[in-house]
Amino acid sequence: MTPDGGSHRWPGPGLELGREPQVELYRGDGTARVARRLGLVPLLERVLAGELREYARDPEFGFVLLFHDIEGRDRYEGPPEIVNLRPDFGHLTVLAHVGDRVLYQQPHSVTGLLGPALAALARGIDPGEARWSFRVDSVARRDSATGRDLRDLGPRGGYGDFDPYDAPGPYDRYEAYDAYERRRRRELLEGRDASRLPPIVTGTGDVDVTRSSRLSFGVRRVEEPEAPRISSSDTHGAGLPHDLERRPVTVLLTPQVQRRLERDLPLSLDVEEGGFLLGKVYRRPDGADGHVVIVEHVLPAEHSGASHMHFTFTGDSFRTMSRVMEERHPEDQLLGWYHTHLFSAVGGMGLSRTDVELHRATFRRPWQVAALINISGGRRVVRCYSRSENSMELCPLWSRDDDTVPYRLTRPSLGRR
């Protein structure tokens, strides 16, 4: 997800929202005939299905889409390669809502958001074609006060930096409503941003480590020392269960952490929250492969971004976490992260596709875990996941009420009203 610095205003009362944008997919460089044309909203529903879940089935569910004239990525590497023919309008804000309730509002890179889905579609059309291109078509718009098409108002449509002509126009599924209802809906949605956008990080740069011989400094991988094997006679192994399941990672919660996750940790009911898990990591006591992690501290993330259905870290989140660990918890390790989902824990519905991608790209040690806290009806349900060969798998979760009693297995999860 790529934050941008463009305007986040919604259309004013003089601008009617346009018809649904269409995505045109071409073979090659875009000079050929359109290979497939499809609505942007159904494509977005498919792309965000992991986050939208049951909300997308609500009859009042809809999108408001706003494109920004900010340069973005011009291609998705694939395979196959997908080229954006309009990278000058490289970002869009997606606002998902049910009726007047804003569920999700985030800026995205157009290419990053649509590229994987278009690549899958292209492979289905012609698996042998290595290069495709796409564009989101233009939407004609008019001033509702004068009835004039905005192309008559100059190259920027008379609306400052909002929406130049020939850019994809703003769109709301409820355009069919009468003018009064559209105006009422815009007024209700305006200022109802249910998200906290991550701050834009400045002063950063990329280093190509494959060319380290040409740099004024060296880059090399540091081998991590092997974790010690835990024993019930160790301080940290007191109360250790004797019947651990043969799983890659087993998670133990200290009493303090258990109380924080159950009730004491302040968590929003409007946007997803998240942070880091700190503590100790050991190899299993029975000589088998696998790790035991003991979560001793929960550290809420700073400088993060969030919405009703999404949570994201920034570089500043990790810098602050590293400073706090060095100053307050120098003996601990980063065991992983936690975040919330603002709906009940139903069946096997756990981490979203976005959660899995974040974990596998960021928390790369085999023993690092992702803790998911479902919040619904005043109840918190906690589950932990570790990486498997292709995705993530549920970890056995053990907890105890105080330091004098043995750990007990919490099935299927930890949670209280």
Side-chain angles (χ1 to χ4, degrees), residues 2 9 46-47 64 66 101 104 130 163 192 233 248 270 372:
T2 306
R9 293 181 289 115
R46 188 187 316 169
V47 169
V64 175
L66 183 63
R101 181 187 179 195
Y104 174 97
D163 201 19
R192 292 279 299 279
S233 61
D270 298 317
L372 175 62

Side-chain angles (χ1 to χ4, degrees), residues 51 53 196 260-261 265-275 298 305-313 337-344 350-352 355 370-376 379-383:
E51 285 77 19
R53 293 188 175 91
R196 182 183 68 250
R260 289 208 76 191
L261 296 178
L265 182 64
L267 294 173
S268 172
L269 300 180
D270 298 317
V271 297
E272 290 190 2
E273 298 281 5
V298 176
S307 74
H308 188 81
M309 291 182 290
H310 190 73
F311 173 84
T312 183
F313 295 111
W337 63 300
Y338 73 90
H339 77 293
T340 60
H341 279 179
L342 303 180
F343 48 84
S344 59
L351 298 176
S352 70
D355 299 335
L372 175 62
I373 308 174
N374 285 85
I375 304 176
S376 177
R379 179 181 174 84
R380 299 182 183 184
V381 175
V382 181
R383 289 169 289 177

Side-chain angles (χ1 to χ4, degrees), residues 70 214 277 416:
I70 298 172
R214 303 181 185 181
L277 304 175
R416 293 183 182 175

Side-chain angles (χ1 to χ4, degrees), residues 23-27 32-37:
V23 178
E24 297 173 346
L25 182 65
Y26 304 85
R27 298 175 188 270
R33 295 179 58 184
V34 176
R36 187 67 57 86
R37 181 179 288 109

Side-chain angles (χ1 to χ4, degrees), residues 1-225:
M1 183 168 296
T2 306
D4 61 60
S7 170
H8 289 263
R9 293 181 289 115
W10 298 111
L15 183 65
E16 290 189 355
L17 299 179
R19 63 177 174 84
E20 178 185 341
Q22 301 290 305
V23 178
E24 297 173 346
L25 182 65
Y26 304 85
R27 298 175 188 270
D29 59 4
T31 58
R33 295 179 58 184
V34 176
R36 187 67 57 86
R37 181 179 288 109
L38 61 158
L40 177 58
V41 171
L43 184 61
L44 285 176
E45 289 176 343
R46 188 187 316 169
V47 169
L48 300 176
E51 285 77 19
L52 299 176
R53 293 188 175 91
E54 68 269 22
Y55 297 112
R57 295 190 292 271
D58 193 292
E60 289 199 329
F61 172 79
F63 281 114
V64 175
L65 308 177
L66 183 63
F67 287 79
H68 305 292
D69 55 333
I70 298 172
E71 191 79 18
R73 292 170 52 191
D74 67 345
R75 69 192 63 237
Y76 169 74
E77 290 74 15
E81 182 184 51
I82 305 291
V83 177
N84 184 356
L85 299 177
R86 292 301 311 271
D88 50 332
F89 284 84
H91 296 267
L92 81 162
T93 294
V94 179
L95 182 149
H97 59 94
V98 171
D100 297 326
R101 181 187 179 195
V102 177
L103 301 173
Y104 174 97
Q105 181 177 334
Q106 289 284 8
H108 290 264
S109 158
V110 174
T111 304
L113 183 66
L114 302 182
L118 291 175
L121 178 63
R123 287 193 296 269
I125 298 174
D126 185 353
E129 184 69 55
R131 191 168 189 265
W132 298 72
S133 54
F134 79 98
R135 70 186 296 271
V136 181
D137 72 350
S138 303
V139 179
R141 301 169 305 284
R142 56 193 175 88
D143 187 311
S144 59
T146 65
R148 287 189 299 168
D149 192 302
L150 286 184
R151 73 181 68 197
D152 299 330
L153 299 180
R156 298 195 67 79
Y159 281 87
D161 62 353
F162 172 66
D163 201 19
Y165 175 67
D166 203 35
Y171 163 76
D172 189 329
R173 170 180 173 177
Y174 293 90
E175 169 66 10
Y177 289 0
D178 60 35
Y180 170 79
E181 181 63 14
R182 289 198 302 272
R183 186 163 55 251
R184 184 189 73 84
R185 286 177 49 74
R186 283 197 294 268
E187 291 171 353
L188 285 170
L189 289 175
E190 205 164 49
R192 292 279 299 279
D193 183 359
S195 65
R196 182 183 68 250
L197 300 181
I200 297 175
V201 179
T202 60
T204 62
D206 295 326
V207 175
D208 184 357
V209 298
T210 64
R211 304 173 61 187
S212 59
S213 61
R214 303 181 185 181
L215 301 175
S216 58
F217 56 89
V219 179
R220 65 182 177 86
R221 181 182 296 275
V222 177
E223 295 298 329
E224 185 175 351

Side-chain angles (χ1 to χ4, degrees), residues 247-261:
R247 303 289 285 276
V249 180
T250 298
V251 180
L252 309 183
L253 303 180
T254 64
Q256 178 191 19
V257 168
Q258 177 186 345
R259 289 190 293 269
R260 289 208 76 191
L261 296 178

Side-chain angles (χ1 to χ4, degrees), residues 314-333:
T314 67
D316 286 335
S317 301
F318 284 91
R319 276 189 285 273
T320 300
M321 177 271 297
S322 297
R323 176 177 53 79
V324 172
M325 284 188 66
E326 183 178 353
E327 294 175 354
R328 304 180 193 173
H329 310 291
E331 302 300 320
D332 288 332
Q333 292 180 276

